[in-house]
């Protein structure tokens, strides 16, 4: 998993940290907007059809290279 700094990780059961993060988001709406913008950019870059097709092609090429050897 790649850390893109697109949100907050809160361990299960840590309600204090959850509440702190919710209050921080409420007080810093611009930060939330920035995270949303960055999340869209990451999604477009990493999950565009051309990216996925290229990754699939690389997987198939690797499979056939290993099969031929």
């Amino acid at each position: 998993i790649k850390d893109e700094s697109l949100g907050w990780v809160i361990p299960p059961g840590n309600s204090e940290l959850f509440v702190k993060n919710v209050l921080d988001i409420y007080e810093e709406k611009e930060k939330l907007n920035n995270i949303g913008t960055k999340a869209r950019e990451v999604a477009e870059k990493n999950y565009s059809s051309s990216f996925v097709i290229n990754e699939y092609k690389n997987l198939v090429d690797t499979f056939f290279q290993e099969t031929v050897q």
Side-chain angles (χ1 to χ4, degrees):
I1 298 175
K2 192 186 229 184
D3 180 10
E4 300 283 354
S5 298
L6 298 176
W8 298 263
V9 176
I10 301 169
N14 193 337
S15 57
E16 289 179 16
L17 184 57
F18 176 77
V19 170
K20 179 191 176 304
N21 281 301
V22 169
L23 293 174
D24 288 347
I25 293 166
Y26 180 77
E27 292 172 0
E28 298 182 47
K29 291 179 177 71
E30 186 61 33
K31 183 176 181 179
L32 186 60
N33 288 333
N34 292 338
I35 289 172
T37 299
K38 185 173 179 183
R40 178 164 185 112
E41 291 169 0
V42 168
E44 288 174 349
K45 175 184 168 195
N46 295 327
Y47 302 103
S48 68
S49 59
S50 60
F51 178 82
V52 172
I53 289 168
N54 191 48
E55 288 295 304
Y56 184 74
K57 179 189 173 300
N58 291 339
L59 178 66
V60 170
D61 289 346
T62 301
F63 173 76
F64 282 116
Q65 287 173 359
E66 291 175 0
T67 303
V68 172
Q69 294 177 356

